[in-house]
Amino acid sequence: MAPLLKDELDIVIPTIRNLDFLEMWRPFFQPYHLIIVQDGDPTKKINVPEGFDYELYNRNDINRILGPRASCISFKDSACRCFGYMVSKKKYVFTIDDDCFVAKDPSGKDIDALAKHIQNLLCPSTPLFFNTLYDPYAEGADFVRGYPFSLREGLPTAVSHGLWLNIPDYDAPTQLVKPRERNGRYVDAVMTIPKGTLFPMCGMNLAFDRELIGPAMYFGLMGDGQPIGRYDDMWAGWCVKVICDHLGLGVKTGLPYIWHSKASNPFVNLKKEYKGIFWQEDIIPFFQAATLTKDCDTVQKCYIALSHQVREKLGKIDPYFAKLADAMVTWIEAWDTLNPKEGAEANGKPTKGK
Amino acid sequence: MAPLLKDELDIVIPTIRNLDFLEMWRPFFQPYHLIIVQDGDPTKKINVPEGFDYELYNRNDINRILGPRASCISFKDSACRCFGYMVSKKKYVFTIDDDCFVAKDPSGKDIDALAKHIQNLLCPSTPLFFNTLYDPYAEGADFVRGYPFSLREGLPTAVSHGLWLNIPDYDAPTQLVKPRERNGRYVDAVMTIPKGTLFPMCGMNLAFDRELIGPAMYFGLMGDGQPIGRYDDMWAGWCVKVICDHLGLGVKTGLPYIWHSKASNPFVNLKKEYKGIFWQEDIIPFFQAATLTKDCDTVQKCYIALSHQVREKLGKIDPYFAKLADAMVTWIEAWDTLNPKEGAEANGKPTKGK
């Protein structure tokens, strides 16, 4: 049996090192095409294990392909991964960090995270009413008594957010306070995040439908030359959720787990995060209150409308948000250039793998 | 060590038969006081296993204690259980059906459902933002990166909704279509249902804080002389959730599981449910849109305000809802009579157990 969506899904990996972690994923990833976004020094050679089909982009490639619009792609931060979303030509994207390994389920079996994400994406979501027995489409499950029948068809799923065993995705203060905490709890559930509810989206183990939500998966301005880091995926998650809610799309979280091997340095993280820790207290109410008008009927229109609101409302917090609002617009321009409506090929010429 | 909340919690059980099911719960329930609400023929003698401390109310007791207001308590339907909530003098209530037995966790250990409910109730809820690693207060867990620090204190928990292994809580159509489906999935999680999201609350395995939300736990008019049944807990759940959202209280669902032993008859259920199946298509949008004004600062005021909206908006669907709106008011009057603000004792004289 051919692997599911073999020709319709790209795996996007941001990295600064050799991709030895792929060895462990070989049985699951090898049939798929990889898009590797090399961060940092573009002269460094990244080794990719034999037998993987990949294209690799370094900073020089990004600058060449996007020209002046390359300014919207972060440097020296894993936020650079969103360039991979933009150059992909597939319907689906799975993105994973290079310190994430294959986890085991409670029976000791290796978890094929990608297969589970695909299942999540191909199966509807239920954001309009809560099902207490979790995913009603899972085998052996259904909608419980009291679930409106008119809502049982569900809505298309745009995002599948997977979780992490071992090192949990904590912020720097929590890392500092609980240096030894590990996540060993395997929760056997996938759930839809209800409409109107925001969540902290982590980019470590994430899949999405590019056609449905791709242009909103912008990971913002982080890292080199920017006042914050480690809010790239959060930013994307807030924007994505508001737009999914508006367009009637679903966001799932839960299974699959990956094994997150090592905690990043909490002192370095604190330096990257501390402004975000303040700012999120205003950003989250902003997104909770954000509304989009009826004429925002595409992801692009929604995203541009959000960028205006960011400039107007968050610009008061710090000039950074005006810059970010500009970058949001640039991102959409770049996206539309590389993904023309007619389906014509974009003219990026990446380093091709075998 | 004394059992937690031994003198602050009542167990409410609606029944029409001998309570042999208590034998299995003896190690967990015996320290607590039981309130048994006998449904159906009041001349029938219900046997309670030796050694339990209980009070028992039959229909005659309900009529005597409430007088004309007894009309708000359903007859020949497990909705009668809410009379037990009203006569309790404790801060917490746990209610369970008499076909629910002790479940085992994946390690094979008996689950002390009551202890877990108590833990859920004593621990805050997080309805204002979603935590992807589930209950952030659980051992070994915390808030993930991107969770606003200002929300980490959480809100008081008003309701703990437990789940069911074996026979899932399905409506009649699903029972008919999937007669052999059993729930064997043990999901090791407790989660807060986000603010603004409704859920189907099942009364089979449910605990709540009477002081925080008791007067909203009215199970409506069902059964004898009414056009529907099996929507008692659903009705309570919709009202409770709207009021909890308004008052800043939390509702949790997930652990603990009980073992639900036998499915009720789907043909009988269909007869009870079929109007509800239509009506819920209007009722749920009604509750999703319901708002309460600032002056609704007690559960009672919220509930009376909701009753007005029920009369006005749902009364158009069927005259039943005008009757239900009246009963909601009667319920609050009865509640306040039995639970006077001064803390004076009500004068119910139930059949006393040992």
Side-chain angles (χ1 to χ4, degrees), chain B residues 276-354:
Chain B
I277 287 173
F278 288 104
W279 290 346
Q280 73 184 357
E281 298 293 339
D282 290 315
I283 297 172
I284 287 168
F286 161 77
F287 279 107
Q288 284 175 330
T291 53
L292 296 164
T293 54
K294 249 195 180 155
D295 55 299
C296 293
D297 55 1
T298 66
V299 178
Q300 277 90 335
K301 285 186 203 169
C302 291
Y303 203 72
I304 294 294
L306 261 188
S307 79
H308 297 327
Q309 298 180 32
V310 166
R311 186 189 321 275
E312 186 198 338
K313 305 226 169 107
L314 297 181
K316 293 170 197 158
I317 302 176
D318 193 278
Y320 166 74
F321 290 97
K323 212 164 65 170
L324 180 54
D326 288 338
M328 291 170 75
V329 175
T330 305
W331 159 265
I332 292 293
E333 291 168 357
W335 181 283
D336 285 343
T337 305
L338 292 187
N339 297 275
K341 294 258 154 44
E342 307 72 35
E345 277 292 301
N347 62 353
K349 280 180 191 158
T351 313
K352 277 283 175 189
K354 61 177 84 180

Side-chain angles (χ1 to χ4, degrees), chain A residues 116 127-134 136 138-152 161 163-164 168-171 173-174 178 181-204 230-234 238 253-255 257 273 277 280-281 284 288, chain B residues 116 127-134 136 138-152 161 163-164 168-171 173-174 178 181-204 230-234 238 253-255 257 273 277 280-281 284 288:
Chain A
K116 183 65 189 165
L128 303 179
F129 199 73
F130 193 91
N131 195 48
T132 51
L133 284 184
Y134 309 98
E139 190 158 332
D142 212 310
F143 293 96
V144 299
R145 180 171 57 93
Y147 203 102
F149 282 84
S150 61
L151 299 179
R152 294 190 186 196
H161 176 260
L163 301 175
W164 340 278
D169 186 32
Y170 287 164
D171 48 64
T174 308
K178 294 178 155 184
E181 191 149 290
R182 298 293 178 267
N183 184 26
R185 177 181 284 233
Y186 183 94
V187 174
D188 185 22
V190 176
M191 53 183 10
T192 298
I193 299 174
K195 183 175 178 180
T197 298
L198 295 178
F199 78 116
M201 188 179 82
C202 170
M204 236 190 290
R230 284 173 56 84
Y231 274 87
D232 51 342
D233 41 8
M234 298 298 140
W238 297 324
T253 184
L255 301 179
Y257 286 94
E273 282 175 15
I277 286 172
Q280 72 185 359
E281 298 293 339
I284 287 168
Q288 285 175 330
Chain B
K116 183 63 188 169
L128 303 179
F129 199 73
F130 192 91
N131 196 49
T132 50
L133 284 184
Y134 310 98
E139 192 160 329
D142 212 310
F143 294 96
V144 299
R145 179 171 58 92
Y147 202 102
F149 282 85
S150 60
L151 299 179
R152 296 192 185 194
H161 177 261
L163 300 175
W164 340 279
D169 185 32
Y170 286 164
D171 48 66
T174 308
K178 294 179 157 185
E181 191 149 293
R182 298 293 178 266
N183 184 25
R185 179 182 281 235
Y186 182 94
V187 174
D188 185 21
V190 176
M191 54 183 9
T192 298
I193 300 174
K195 183 175 177 180
T197 299
L198 295 178
F199 78 117
M201 188 179 82
C202 170
M204 238 191 290
R230 283 172 58 83
Y231 274 87
D232 51 341
D233 42 6
M234 297 299 140
W238 297 323
T253 184
L255 301 180
Y257 285 93
E273 282 175 15
I277 287 173
Q280 73 184 357
E281 298 293 339
I284 287 168
Q288 284 175 330

